[in-house]
């Protein structure tokens, strides 16, 4: 199926920002069967840096990531992502924490740009000429349906704060 490669690439792209040593081949094998289960994934130290929190991640593990893709019923059943046991060992930021208005404005502008880019992509998929029953229209509708039916379950997030005083 075309969607296995798409899902594998998306998982690698988005999880790769947070997880160390993510194996794309492991994802492809699991996605083909409809279920992906990854255990004991190590989180990157800069995993939460984008949130601009006054703490930094010293160590982090994702106990279990489970992805269920109902290939035969993508239109009617949800794609389920389960994140279980996200262990975080955090400490104070080594650099002084301060609010940077320019950085916040830049982040907001980037977020708006991404939203606009997504909107234009969906608009172009819908506006392509041809039969409304064509592949592009079907793909766009199916992608929209999958995103609308996406379920994310997160459980057990123990956070341990250690200060080196």
């Amino acid at each position: 199926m075309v969607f296995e490669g798409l899902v594998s690439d998306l998982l690698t792209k988005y999880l790769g920002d947070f997880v160390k040593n993510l194996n794309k081949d492991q994802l492809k094998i699991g996605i083909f069967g409809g279920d992906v289960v990854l255990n004991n994934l190590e989180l990157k130290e800069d995993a939460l840096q984008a949130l601009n929190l006054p703490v930094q991640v010293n160590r982090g593990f994702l106990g279990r990531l489970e992805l269920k893709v109902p290939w035969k019923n993508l239109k009617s059943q949800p794609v389920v992502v389960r994140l279980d046991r996200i262990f975080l060992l955090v400490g104070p930021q080594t650099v002084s924490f301060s609010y940077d208005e320019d950085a916040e404005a830049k982040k907001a502008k980037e977020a708006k740009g991404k939203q606009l880019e997504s909107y234009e992509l969906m608009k172009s998929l819908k506006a392509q000429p041809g039969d409304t029953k064509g592949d592009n229209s079907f793909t766009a509708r199916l992608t929209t349906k999958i995103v609308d039916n996406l379920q994310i379950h997160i459980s057990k997030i123990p956070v341990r704060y250690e200060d080196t005083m």
Side-chain angles (χ1 to χ4, degrees), residues 3 12 17 30-31 41 76 89 98 110 121 138 141 143 148 156 160:
F3 291 110
T12 304
D17 293 341
I31 290 173
L41 299 171
S76 60
L89 174 61
S98 63
E110 287 174 1
L121 176 65
F138 171 76
R141 285 194 311 263
T143 303
D148 287 345
K156 300 177 188 167
R160 180 176 173 176

Side-chain angles (χ1 to χ4, degrees), residues 1 10 51 68 77 105 112 130 143 153:
M1 289 185 139
L10 286 173
L51 298 175
K68 292 187 181 238
Q77 292 183 350
K112 286 180 185 178
T143 303
H153 301 271

Side-chain angles (χ1 to χ4, degrees), residues 21 35 67 69 96 104 131 136 139 155 163:
N21 303 324
D35 292 336
L67 176 69
V69 182
S96 62
E104 290 296 320
D131 189 12
N136 291 331
T139 303
S155 61
D163 196 350

Side-chain angles (χ1 to χ4, degrees), residues 17-18 45-53 55 57 93 103-104 107 110 114:
D17 293 341
F18 302 100
E45 285 81 13
D46 62 348
L48 300 179
Q49 193 172 18
L51 298 175
N52 199 21
L53 298 173
V55 295
V57 176
Q93 279 199 358
E104 290 296 320
K107 278 192 229 176
E110 287 174 1
K114 286 181 182 180

Side-chain angles (χ1 to χ4, degrees), residues 116-128 140:
L116 182 60
E117 190 176 296
S118 298
Y119 173 74
E120 288 176 353
L121 176 65
M122 291 303 291
K123 186 177 176 183
S124 69
L125 287 174
K126 290 179 182 178
Q128 286 182 354

